[in-house]
Amino acid sequence: MRVPVHPDRQKILVVNGDPAARSALSLALGELGYEVLHSSGSADTAQIIPLQRVDLVLFETPTVDGGRPALDVLRLLRATYPDSLLPILITATGPDAIEAMRTGASDCVAPTGDPQMALARLAFHLKRKKESDEARLRAQRFELAAEATGDGIWDWDLRSGAIHFSSRWKQLIGFDDTELECTPEDWFGRVHEEDQSRLQLLLSEVSSDGGPNEILSQHRIRHKNGSYRHVEVRGQIQREGANGTALRIAGVMKDTTAKRIYDPLTGLPNRTFLMDALQKAIEYREGHRRWGFAVVLLNLDQYAAINSVFGHESGDQLLIEAASRLQRAVRSSEGGESHLVAYLGSDEFAVLLGGVDDLREAQEAAAKMQAEFGHSFLLEGTEVFACATIGVALWHDGYRKATEMLRDVDLAVREAKSKGGSRIALFDLPMQQESIRRLELSLEVQRGLDLDEFEIYYQPVIRLENGSVAGFEGLLRWRHPERGVLAPDQFLTHAENTGLVIPLGVFSLRHAAVSIRQLQHRFPSDPPLYVGINVSPREVRQPGLASRVEDILNTAGIDASALVLEINQRAFSGDGETAALALHQVKSLGVRLRLDNATIEPQALRYLSRGLFDSVKISRQLVQSMTTNEEAADIVRTLCTVAKGLGIESLAEGVEDQVHAQLAMEAGTMFAQGYLFAPPLTVPDAVEYLTQIRA
Ligand code: C2E
Ligand code: CA
């Protein structure tokens, strides 16, 4: 009976010293539908295999062409083809079979006897070969597909430790296929030291029984050229048994460097990119003394307002348009191609001007950038203006780090802002000296805190209807060992720009809490005396305000109603909602909030009307202007009316004489503080004051 031809005929190469003498087995194979090729075992055997895509080799005789032992040919073939690629069978039994297996045969069949058994063994090896071909093909297809997306493939056998990297994987870190050995060390040994511990932890989770089934790791890996690439690695873990022992892990590696150094919204290089380029510029300059560079830092003045009034989509649109205008300005400047425009986040852009070696040239480039902001932006059909405040710094030989230069150009921007914004400020020596002075001052403030040189003075708040004391405002003073008693203006603005504002704030709150407990105890009243404490905008924005306040209330053992926090409306500029949220948390403790230095700014009124505040303090400027300016009196009246409508208290500050007091009362304020009643007092003076008032 003729067996139908094998559907996808596998090819068997039968090696026989005398190909003409075909064995029963070889004949049967043909009958079974396999394609059978013959070779005498001469040198061309090795060439037939790849040419004809042979699936299995069967040595029929112990010697081949010219009396050469078949095992020699077998050894030769095995050097090129592992068992999984090419099963090789030998007809041998007994010690010969053992020798053949040792030399690399996949299996042995008996030279005589039942050919059915031999056929079954051959069929088994051919099936195995087919499966392994299919698996390899699948893997190749997967590699091709994955590599088409630019990802590299890796596959790690956790039992043997063998790891495989695809060509693309190697390319991602600069190697060609033949260059890198495939060992775990080739990978993990190249990971940035700062990312090592995180990765090692992940790997130990992978290898632990019952660990995760997939992993995601983001780390930096050293490229052949010495730079680091950011990569995102995903892997699937194959586990076995009830314990979930990890056998194998395989996955893809994606290069995410570009994503990390470009801002997705504007498409511009980001801060990391800029800092890297700036550092390289500083280093390049060291070896090229005739080459110079400058940094321009640019803040979009109305960005926060546009975001809050028109929404974030308009804010984003503004940034995109600003980015393209900046690029245009930079391209039109001299040497435009060697300049780099970057977006640093929020409202901040920076430009690295390469090859610029005098300040005037840098200033001209900055002026071009500023001119781009001279015309309006069209955001969702609305025309808006967004000016730019710009700082410029030129390299100097003192710079070693990119951060130093960015710090200086940032200082220039702040200088420009302090003069009203929408202008260009150049970083120069006096500014540098000022920055050093500020640094020294902040160190001194720290020292002053350590040496207990700070103190709180208390200024009484008076009920206008009867002159009684309702409470106090606590005001910070510094008993400086050389400069005498300093008012906050002389140090607080500097502290605002450093982290010191938090310890100073905690100091004020803690002392005020202790003092008010003493005063309430000595001078009981209904309602009890309270103390108001100023909280700087930066303190409001720093996380943890409510928990700091709660701690202080608990430690001092006072009721939350003894404390009023005075909040300047500046706290709401920028991200007003975050500030409002932090204040709501404080309010939920039972602490009262007071809007300080109030004017009729829409933003302040918005938060007033949202019920955040329990009282409003009208600014000294407004109160004092009432004597000469009818408009000021109108504003004070409006504020009092708003407060009354909301059912909250209004206070006038800076009341220096009877006229101020009279006008404030007529405008509708219920409370006042100022030199007319008392200046800020030490605790003993406050006790004395209360004693006299109550006498
Ligand atoms: P502020 O909250 O507006 O405080 C009122 C300022 O007016 C105080 O100045 C006070 O001494 C002064 N003052 C009181 N009555 C009169 C008056 O009748 N006429 C005039 N011309 N001035 C009067 P001070 O103590 O120099 O405080 C300045 C600013 O420093 C305060 O302004 C407040 O914003 C801030 N500040 C004070 N203490 C602290 C504190 O502990 N923490 C924080 N973050 N800021 C504080
Ligand atoms: Ca105040």
Side-chain angles (χ1 to χ4, degrees), residues 473-475 532-535 566-568 594 596-597 617 653 673:
E473 176 180 9
L475 293 155
I533 274 293
N534 296 284
V535 179
E566 299 200 358
I567 312 295
N568 194 294
R594 175 168 291 170
D596 204 1
N597 300 93
K617 191 185 267 189
E653 74 174 355
Q673 76 184 85

Side-chain angles (χ1 to χ4, degrees), residues 257-307:
T257 314
K259 212 163 79 182
R260 288 179 169 264
I261 57 174
Y262 285 93
D263 168 60
L265 180 69
T266 58
L268 291 180
N270 66 10
R271 181 181 290 270
T272 312
F273 193 131
L274 176 89
M275 295 309 267
D276 197 41
L278 192 51
Q279 189 63 39
K280 288 200 178 102
I282 291 173
E283 283 158 19
Y284 183 77
R285 155 77 198 165
E286 276 174 17
H288 301 79
R289 313 300 289 180
R290 291 166 138 202
W291 186 85
F293 61 97
V295 178
V296 175
L297 190 66
L298 188 140
N299 281 16
L300 280 186
D301 294 343
Q302 283 79 15
Y303 173 69
I306 286 172
N307 247 339

Side-chain angles (χ1 to χ4, degrees), residues 297 299 348 391 393 405-415:
L297 190 66
N299 281 16
E348 211 164 43
M405 197 158 171
L406 207 68
R407 174 203 63 202
D408 286 354
V409 72
D410 190 49
L411 217 59
V413 170
R414 272 192 260 155
E415 175 75 16

Side-chain angles (χ1 to χ4, degrees), residues 252 321 353 417 442 453 506 547 578 608 615 695:
V252 290
E321 175 64 18
L353 298 170
K417 277 196 176 160
S442 65
E453 290 171 2
V506 168
S547 65
T578 307
L608 259 187
S615 57

Side-chain angles (χ1 to χ4, degrees), residues 206-224:
V206 166
S207 51
S208 63
D209 284 356
N213 288 328
E214 46 190 39
I215 55 157
L216 170 64
S217 165
Q218 289 173 329
H219 53 254
R220 284 161 289 176
I221 182 164
R222 199 174 60 254
H223 191 271
K224 188 179 173 188

Side-chain angles (χ1 to χ4, degrees), residues 74-304:
L74 165 67
R75 195 174 289 115
L76 207 75
L77 292 180
R78 268 288 170 260
T80 319
Y81 301 101
D83 185 48
S84 60
L85 283 184
L86 185 70
I88 305 176
L89 273 71
I90 273 200
T91 43
T93 49
D96 290 346
I98 297 172
E99 184 60 22
M101 295 298 284
R102 283 199 181 124
T103 311
S106 313
D107 205 351
C108 293
V109 293
T112 54
D114 182 4
Q116 291 308 319
M117 185 60 201
L119 285 173
R121 298 182 95 124
L122 265 147
F124 166 75
H125 286 285
L126 282 165
K127 181 167 166 271
R128 215 169 46 114
K129 156 80 162 111
K130 194 167 172 219
E131 283 167 359
S132 99
D133 279 354
E134 281 168 358
R136 200 169 25 256
L137 200 69
R138 270 200 307 274
Q140 275 169 357
R141 276 201 211 107
F142 172 61
E143 274 200 29
L144 271 173
E147 298 206 352
T149 67
D151 299 347
I153 312 278
W154 55 280
D155 187 346
W156 189 11
D157 182 334
L158 294 165
R159 285 165 305 180
S160 67
I163 196 162
H164 163 74
F165 303 128
S166 69
S167 318
R168 176 70 190 142
W169 192 102
K170 293 178 189 173
Q171 260 174 25
L172 288 178
I173 54 169
F175 292 94
D176 70 32
D177 210 9
T178 56
E179 269 186 304
L180 204 65
E181 275 186 49
C182 285
T183 68
E185 182 55 23
D186 286 320
W187 179 355
F188 307 125
R190 310 188 75 83
V191 170
H192 195 289
E193 60 176 338
E194 287 168 16
D195 301 336
Q196 281 284 359
S197 54
R198 217 163 10 96
L199 182 65
Q200 292 305 332
L201 188 73
L202 192 67
L203 292 178
S204 71
E205 281 172 13
V206 166
S207 51
S208 63
D209 284 356
N213 288 328
E214 46 190 39
I215 55 157
L216 170 64
S217 165
Q218 289 173 329
H219 53 254
R220 284 161 289 176
I221 182 164
R222 199 174 60 254
H223 191 271
K224 188 179 173 188
N225 67 14
S227 68
Y228 278 92
R229 313 289 301 174
H230 287 270
V231 291
E232 185 180 281
V233 172
R234 288 174 187 278
Q236 289 282 339
I237 302 152
Q238 186 190 344
R239 295 188 181 273
E240 183 188 62
N243 291 344
T245 307
L247 302 180
R248 179 174 167 226
I249 173 166
V252 290
M253 179 166 89
K254 189 188 280 297
D255 187 333
T256 55
T257 314
K259 212 163 79 182
R260 288 179 169 264
I261 57 174
Y262 285 93
D263 168 60
L265 180 69
T266 58
L268 291 180
N270 66 10
R271 181 181 290 270
T272 312
F273 193 131
L274 176 89
M275 295 309 267
D276 197 41
L278 192 51
Q279 189 63 39
K280 288 200 178 102
I282 291 173
E283 283 158 19
Y284 183 77
R285 155 77 198 165
E286 276 174 17
H288 301 79
R289 313 300 289 180
R290 291 166 138 202
W291 186 85
F293 61 97
V295 178
V296 175
L297 190 66
L298 188 140
N299 281 16
L300 280 186
D301 294 343
Q302 283 79 15
Y303 173 69

